[in-house]
Amino acid sequence: MDKMQNLSKNQQIIFDLIDKSSEPMKAYSILHNVQKKGIKAPLQVYRALDKLVEIGKIHKIESRNAFIACHNSSCQVSKATAFSICEICKKVTEISSASLSKYLTNFKDKDGMKYSKYNLEFFGLCKKCR
Amino acid sequence: MDKMQNLSKNQQIIFDLIDKSSEPMKAYSILHNVQKKGIKAPLQVYRALDKLVEIGKIHKIESRNAFIACHNSSCQVSKATAFSICEICKKVTEISSASLSKYLTNFKDKDGMKYSKYNLEFFGLCKKCR
DNA sequence: TTACATAGTGTTATAATATAACAATTTAAA
DNA sequence: TTTAAATTGTTATATTATAACACTATGTAA
Ligand SMILES: [Zn+2]
Ligand SMILES: [Zn+2]
Ligand SMILES: [Zn+2]
Ligand SMILES: [Zn+2]
């Protein structure tokens, strides 16, 4: 539930790698980078990724099949995520906007349904690429 | 730009199938269903899907790798999409909310950046599954 | 009409992403 | 300490998506 829990060996290795990376990392690129540390099979990577996503240490960028570390302390453990994605340089940034998360968390559809979770991906050109 | 343009043979076959479906369809399930109509290879499916997405006749549900027909005449040609997804029955519905699309289309991040496109996926339980 | 450009098709092969199944080991509680 | 839950290791396989190349249809403009 919180992000303080201890990670297992593989989880820690993979989290450290993603956390250091300046860009979202793909599963097989992660695999490549941790083979020298003894993680040899895709499944070992995917299992760690699943857990890290579940506890909110990382997020999956669905449109890119890639993973980034969460740097947003207020993000509700992977339950409410928003990202900006540059269509040229592919830079991905987690958006941390109280008003946006408030708006979406409270959003009700036509039937009055409220949602327990959302993922939002914005696309455009980043500062550098404009 | 508009949705009125003529579709090619393969595009029409694949659009008709997705449009008739009550749920999002996956590429290889589509392939399976159109083989009797002469579409034999994955690439034929993916090319049609790419085009249909581009012109806004269908949308890709990124978290599911599946495709649904657009039934939202006001949706800005795949540039601004929102869906609700039931986590039990997997039912997916395109959300058509003027206030939501207005809010997101006008959303500016901390640096004042406005985005040209977004995709939002809400998760929860649908009416039936609650 | 002809020439040209653009979009679409068919095909084979292969790349990239992700999970199934099973056995063993470690860790955390009761 | 015993038991349950989580994690690991491993092999094999399933699923999703693209590369490369040759050919065909369609629209447009001289
Ligand atoms: Zn986060
Ligand atoms: Zn950029
Ligand atoms: Zn739509
Ligand atoms: Zn449901």
Side-chain angles (χ1 to χ4, degrees), chain A residues 16-82:
Chain A
D16 288 344
L17 179 67
I18 297 171
D19 194 39
K20 277 190 328 226
S21 172
S22 61
E23 54 186 21
M25 293 195 75
K26 290 175 160 258
Y28 277 73
S29 159
I30 292 167
L31 176 58
H32 227 80
N33 278 275
V34 296
Q35 280 184 326
K36 54 196 162 230
K37 300 216 163 141
I39 295 174
K40 291 177 198 155
L43 196 44
Q44 294 174 290
V45 172
Y46 280 105
R47 284 196 286 223
L49 290 173
D50 285 350
K51 187 67 182 187
L52 291 167
V53 166
E54 183 192 324
I55 64 179
K57 298 277 292 183
I58 66 173
H59 302 302
K60 182 173 186 181
I61 310 301
E62 293 287 357
S63 65
R64 296 278 186 266
N65 298 318
F67 300 84
I68 62 170
C70 177
H71 290 114
N72 178 0
S73 61
S74 72
C75 126
Q76 295 159 50
V77 187
S78 300
K79 292 269 186 287
T81 51

Side-chain angles (χ1 to χ4, degrees), chain A residues 8 12 19 35-37 39 47 53 55 66-68 77 79 81 84 88 93-96 107-110 113 130:
Chain A
S8 74
Q12 190 69 57
D19 194 39
Q35 280 184 326
K36 54 196 162 230
K37 300 216 163 141
I39 295 174
R47 284 196 286 223
V53 166
I55 64 179
F67 300 84
I68 62 170
V77 187
K79 292 269 186 287
T81 51
S84 76
I88 291 181
T93 310
E94 185 166 2
I95 293 172
S96 150
F107 178 77
K108 286 182 188 146
D109 72 11
K110 287 194 166 93
M113 176 168 171
R130 254 172 303 164

Side-chain angles (χ1 to χ4, degrees), chain B residues 59 70 72 75 94:
Chain B
H59 301 301
C70 178
N72 178 2
C75 127
E94 185 167 1

